[in-house]
Amino acid sequence: MKCSKLLRRYLALLGVVSLGLVACGGDPGSDAAIGCGPLAQPQALKLGVNPGAQDMVTFVMQEQGFDKKHNLNLELSEFQNPSALHAAIGQQTVDVGFGGLTAMATARQQGRDTMIFDVLTSPSNVIVTRNDSNVHSLSDLRGKKLGIFGGRTSATFAIASIVAKEKYGIDNLEKDVQLIEGPDAAMLGLLDQGNIDAALIGTTATVQALLSGKYRTLSDISQDYQEKFGKLPGHVLAATTDEYAEKHCGVLNAFSAALDDTVAFIQHDDKVWSDYAADIKLTDPRAPATLRERVASRYIPDWNQEQADAEASLINQLIPVLGPDKFVRAVPDGLFRVDLRTAQ
């Protein structure tokens, strides 16, 4: 029996829609099938975070309801060190994580499908020494002991290596300085005891160290980098996997929109710093102002092709510092995505 003209048109249209769903890499119920626009209903997002600037963002995002505004139900997974979080991103234990630039680049180079779709911040970290130390400049650390909180593969250490080379004349921070790895509290303890000469410490530890009055700053990493290269180095970025992005670009778009709202709020609200200081148990009355001074100015509000290009340039600067055999030989294809953003 022959189909009517109307029925033939209907079947043809249905075929086009089906092909469109296949091209999106999803099924009719998947996020990819409806594109990257605003979410029509709440969806869960497993988000991995480390202590520090990431805590601040997620604290404010949830407290102010920016996640709910964009139909996200955040399920937070807290990791005590960057390496554990980076592994969770690559293994898809979390959907999205605030990953280090170097770790995400290395993982993609090794064949994992990790990719970066937004930026959070540049380092708020400092390298400190005791007030009574005979180390007066970062260049004085040659042959001495430096404690580092995030390990030799961390983005923070990598950027510190560039600063050490380009501003302080230390060609290879890993070889020219004796490195001692450990958590912040251990590094400051070793510094107090005179067992190391300086320490590169995390965000909260930086605030505590500055408030204590016991230490001198040898390098404010982001400030030194910006003075040398003219732009803040984005080292903590929002990362996921190609597989997750293919099926959930709307969720990623919603997360980026919530992140934009959060960073804008942080930049213009005073009370949030008092609340955050209390949340991380910094009781010194000067802590909120110091947190704002250290952290707020380090957030990078815009993710676009220009910022992605700046991150690629940073990787190219890191290659000769870290070594292509230990890092990457070139910026991995597909590492940065700027095409997932739509108006929210």
Side-chain angles (χ1 to χ4, degrees):
M1 184 172 64
K2 295 183 179 179
C3 295
S4 68
K5 184 182 293 185
L6 181 61
L7 180 57
R8 286 199 301 272
R9 287 180 178 175
Y10 173 77
L11 291 174
L13 178 61
L14 184 60
V16 170
V17 171
S18 299
L19 286 172
L21 292 177
V22 171
C24 284
D27 54 54
S30 75
D31 188 47
I34 58 174
C36 291
L39 298 178
Q41 58 188 9
Q43 294 200 36
L45 174 67
K46 296 178 182 178
L47 176 64
V49 297
N50 284 140
Q54 305 167 29
D55 273 343
M56 176 65 168
V57 165
T58 52
F59 173 75
V60 174
M61 187 181 291
Q62 292 187 306
E63 183 188 58
Q64 297 299 319
F66 293 130
D67 52 341
K68 304 299 184 187
K69 172 184 173 182
H70 296 283
N71 265 336
L72 288 177
N73 291 327
L74 289 186
E75 300 174 3
L76 293 184
S77 296
E78 297 182 356
F79 297 83
Q80 292 306 305
N81 62 77
S83 297
L85 175 53
H86 296 154
I89 295 170
Q91 295 165 3
Q92 299 187 40
T93 305
V94 296
D95 302 323
V96 170
F98 287 115
L101 176 66
T102 54
M104 295 300 97
T106 301
R108 192 169 187 90
Q109 181 73 27
Q110 293 172 345
R112 301 184 184 93
D113 67 341
T114 51
M115 70 88 168
I116 290 163
F117 68 96
D118 213 328
V119 63
L120 179 63
T121 186
S122 65
S124 54
N125 315 76
V126 294
I127 297 176
V128 296
T129 189
R130 297 189 318 275
N131 285 333
D132 62 353
S133 171
N134 60 2
V135 175
H136 299 288
S137 168
L138 200 64
S139 59
D140 296 334
L141 281 180
R142 288 184 187 84
K144 297 184 183 297
K145 295 179 181 179
L146 172 66
I148 54 174
F149 77 101
R152 300 162 194 248
T153 60
S154 72
T156 303
F157 177 74
I159 294 170
S161 297
I162 292 178
V163 168
K165 179 179 180 180
E166 299 297 336
K167 185 168 182 177
Y168 296 97
I170 300 178
D171 288 336
N172 191 317
L173 191 60
E174 185 172 2
K175 293 182 179 179
D176 296 341
V177 176
Q178 298 179 54
L179 300 180
I180 309 296
E181 299 181 29
D184 288 320
M187 294 302 96
L188 289 176
L190 290 174
L191 185 58
D192 290 341
Q193 296 162 13
N195 293 321
I196 59 176
D197 301 285
L200 169 60
I201 50 180
T203 300
T204 301
T206 290
V207 173
Q208 293 171 323
L210 294 175
L211 291 175
S212 74
K214 296 164 55 179
Y215 309 102
R216 287 186 284 108
T217 298
L218 296 176
S219 174
D220 180 330
I221 297 170
S222 284
Q223 180 177 312
D224 282 346
Y225 185 96
Q226 188 173 29
E227 287 177 358
K228 190 69 181 178
F229 300 104
K231 196 172 183 66
L232 287 172
H235 77 309
V236 176
L237 304 100
T240 185
T241 61
D242 290 336
E243 181 180 348
Y244 184 83
E246 182 181 2
K247 297 178 181 179
H248 303 93
C249 68
V251 175
L252 299 182
N253 188 31
F255 178 75
S256 289
L259 189 60
D260 288 348
D261 289 345
T262 302
V263 171
F265 181 85
I266 286 171
Q267 300 289 0
H268 297 97
D269 188 85
D270 291 328
K271 183 176 180 296
V272 69
W273 298 100
S274 298
D275 292 342
Y276 181 57
D279 185 65
I280 61 175
K281 298 178 174 56
L282 289 179
T283 58
D284 190 305
R286 300 168 296 166
T290 305
L291 276 168
R292 182 168 189 173
E293 177 187 349
R294 297 299 315 162
V295 180
S297 61
R298 301 299 189 249
Y299 287 117
I300 301 173
D302 298 318
W303 178 247
N304 48 34
Q305 190 60 54
E306 181 181 359
Q307 186 63 43
D309 290 344
E311 298 302 322
S313 295
L314 175 56
I315 288 177
N316 284 325
Q317 292 176 42
L318 289 169
I319 292 172
V321 174
L322 299 179
D325 294 333
K326 293 184 178 180
F327 183 36
V328 297
R329 296 187 176 277
V331 179
D333 291 339
L335 177 62
F336 301 112
R337 294 280 301 272
V338 297
D339 59 324
L340 301 177
R341 302 296 299 274
T342 62
Q344 287 276 342

